[in-house]
Every structure is written in structure tokens, then in C-alpha cells.
Amino acid sequence: MHPLPVSSPPRRNKRKKSSLLATAARIGQACPVLRSLHVCGYRSLRDFRVKFGRITVVTGENGVGKSNLYRALILLQRMAEGRFAEAVESESGMPGLMWAGLRRKDGPRRVSWEIEDDHFSFSHECGLIPTTPGDPTKFRTDPDVKTEVIRAGGIKGRPMAKRAGTSISVRGDDGKMETISLPFHLPESMLSEVRDGLRYPALTAVRETFLAWRFYHHFRVDPDSPLRRPRVGFWSPVLAGDGTNLAATLQSIAESGREAVLDQVVEKAFPGSRWRAVDDQGRFQLQLSRDELGRWLDASELSDGTLRFFCLCAALLTPKPPPLLVFNEPESSLHTSLLEPLADLMAAVPEETQLIVVTHARELAERIRERCEAKWVKLVSFEGETRLEGDAGSGRTWTFDD
């Protein structure tokens, strides 16, 4: 008697699991490029679509909505962190961040994101807390998450996770969709709430992609700023968002083999100057010196522009390059003579890093484009709505430059 074949089903399940893990690996690979962003209903971004290059420079006059584009990207990271409700509260709650212009009377008041990168797409839609009789919640300004979808392979790809209200369907490691219920009134994204990375690797890979993004907007340089005070240092290959570990990051860059590159940038920006990150007492603080001075200038004595320029250098020369690096108004407090060395650094970001620069400085944008193949996105305002230049008329059509 021949034994019954019992090996086929396990092999089939193993193939499904291997396929899913391969999909998750592609989603979480080191160098994905954020290809497009579509935002609706967020502040001045009523119905805004944009495509990005590996290096993208965003320009426009004051008030056209450049910072809204920057903040729209940050909110995606806050979803992954589990801080979406907190971030919404900082913008005066859902009523405060929603498009305030004309809308259809019967249309729902919603804010939505849809992004697509090389290997996945993610969409998220939220709105106001419904006024249901007997609803006990007092958190009326929280986001009410309506739908979320993750697809492998782009917007038309295979669904890996779906959310409708508090119900989530996630593709498990066996390739099958499973349903998970979330608590009532959970204003956070499924990205942060579903944490089983072994069971749901594709969702985990998307979350980790968002968490790896880095944003830099404002470096506090007033007289009481932590950047101006000596600190105890620790190994810091990544500059903090507010720049507070500047000296430690500069020292980490130097000890990672990039000191010569930083020295060249400093010489071009401040001819005849020398820098160090550790003072004679072993404390961490940025110091500068010139031959004619005869001493080191402490961080408390440096100009605002000097401190901010070194922060930008530290962010761009990081020994741990991120998949996406976004700057908002990096030219703040910088003398025009510093724009050229800054453009040199930005044009030379590693291949594994995608760069988005939101700037008022046309000169900075032009210098970056002189040095590399960068996409230039010019924003305008039409009746309070942010649009791409060329779409400023009422009868616009969507066109994208490749």
C-alpha cells in the first residue's frame, strides 16, 4: 500500500508565506522613492496632487501653501508614530485643519491622503466625529478615521490591509486576510495600532518606512537655546529634529570618516575658520576659531545663521542616511554667501536618500538645479487654494512632468 501524499498543503502554505515576506521585503527596502502625494481637504490643499523626483525643490510666494505641503507629509509620520490625534490637536483640531473654502453643501467634510512609492501605496481618510445621539465622547475635535488602505505594488496593487471605521482586515503571514477590531473611538491609524510584525509584515514595513523619514524646519537659536549651552555628549549619528544634539552629531560625523568633507564645507562657508565639537573641558558644544582671534568662540557667541548652517550640515552629512529627508525653509537666517555651499551638500545627498526642499529662496533652488537633476515644483494660490503653477485657472486639468 502506498502512503497518502501529505506534503502538498504544507508546501503551498510555505509558498504563500514566502511570497508575502518577499512583498514585505520589497516594501521595506532601503531605497524606495516617494513618487506622488494626493491630499484633499487639508488647509489650502483642497485637491492637490504632486509628483516628486529623487531631489525635489518646492518654491512659491508667501502664503501659497508650501508649509501646508510640508506639514501634510509630517502628518503621515505622526500616523505611524501613534501621535496623529496629538498632531491634529496642535493644529486646532479637525475643524481647524480642514479646508475652509467653498464646498458642496451635501459633500462630506473629509481630509484624505494618498501616497505612492516604488513598492506600495497608502491612503487614509478622516473626518469629524459624528454627532450621534447618546455618543459619550467629549473628544469632539479628534480625527474620526473613516478608511485606510495599504496596497503592494502601487495604487492598483494587491490589498495588504484595509480599514473601515474600527474594523481592520490585514493580510497575515499565511497570505489570508484577517479581521481585527479596534476599540471604540480610536483616532489613530492602523499603522500604529497593529503591532504584530511577524504576523503582519507588509503593514509593519510601511510603518517603518514612514518612521524612517526625517523632517527639519526650525532650529531654535535664541540666547536660551540648548544649541548655545555645553552638554554631555553621546554618540549621535542622526541630528535631532530641533538640533539639540548638534555638537554630538558633528563629532559623530567626524569619527565616522566624513570630517574632511565637513571641513571643506566649513572652509567654503567661513574661509579661514576652524571648528570643533568638544571644548577644553570635554563638554560638547560647537566652537569656531580663526587665526586672528587667538581663541575659540563658544556656541553662545556664534551668530544665528552660523548655528543653523551647521545644523543643516549635520542633517545632510549624517552617517545614517534616511530614505526621505525633508527641509522647510532651510535658508532661514542664512547669508546669501552660504547658499552655494548648502546647495553643494544638498545636490550630493547619497543615492539612497530622497530629498525634498521647500524654500522661499529662488537662488537656492537655482543653485541646486545647477548641480544635479532636480525636479522644480512651483506653487501658486488660486482663490485660497494651493495649486501647481500652470493649474491656476478655474478649469484646470491635471498634468504631471516625468
Side-chain angles (χ1 to χ4, degrees), residues 359-372:
T359 178
H360 288 291
R362 185 181 182 88
E363 182 180 354
L364 176 61
E366 291 174 344
R367 289 179 182 271
I368 293 172
R369 294 192 76 205
E370 289 171 0
R371 289 159 170 76
C372 65

Side-chain angles (χ1 to χ4, degrees), residues 53 90 116 167 208-209 219 255 260 279 285 309 326 340 399-400:
S90 70
E116 184 175 18
S167 177
E208 293 304 313
T209 296
F219 301 112
E255 294 187 18
D279 63 23
Q285 65 167 322
F309 182 79
V326 189
E340 185 170 343
T399 57
F400 294 123

Side-chain angles (χ1 to χ4, degrees), residues 321-344:
L324 178 65
L325 184 57
V326 189
F327 291 98
N328 188 33
E329 300 180 14
E331 72 280 1
S332 178
S333 298
L334 299 189
H335 188 271
T336 54
S337 63
L338 298 179
L339 298 183
E340 185 170 343
L342 177 58
D344 289 340

Side-chain angles (χ1 to χ4, degrees), residues 121-169:
S121 69
F122 171 72
S123 61
H124 173 106
E125 184 177 63
C126 60
L128 300 172
I129 298 291
T131 54
T132 305
D135 187 345
T137 185
K138 299 297 183 182
F139 300 102
R140 310 303 306 177
T141 60
D142 273 359
D144 184 45
V145 180
K146 308 297 184 181
T147 62
E148 293 182 294
V149 181
I150 293 173
R151 295 180 182 272
I155 293 174
K156 297 182 179 180
R158 184 189 189 196
M160 305 306 291
K162 291 184 176 182
R163 174 177 180 173
T166 57
S167 177
I168 297 176
S169 297

Side-chain angles (χ1 to χ4, degrees), residues 22-29 32 117 119-120 150-152 160 202 205-206 209:
T23 298
R26 286 194 297 272
I27 290 175
Q29 75 166 17
D117 86 347
H119 304 295
F120 74 90
I150 293 173
R151 295 180 182 272
M160 305 306 291
V206 173
T209 296

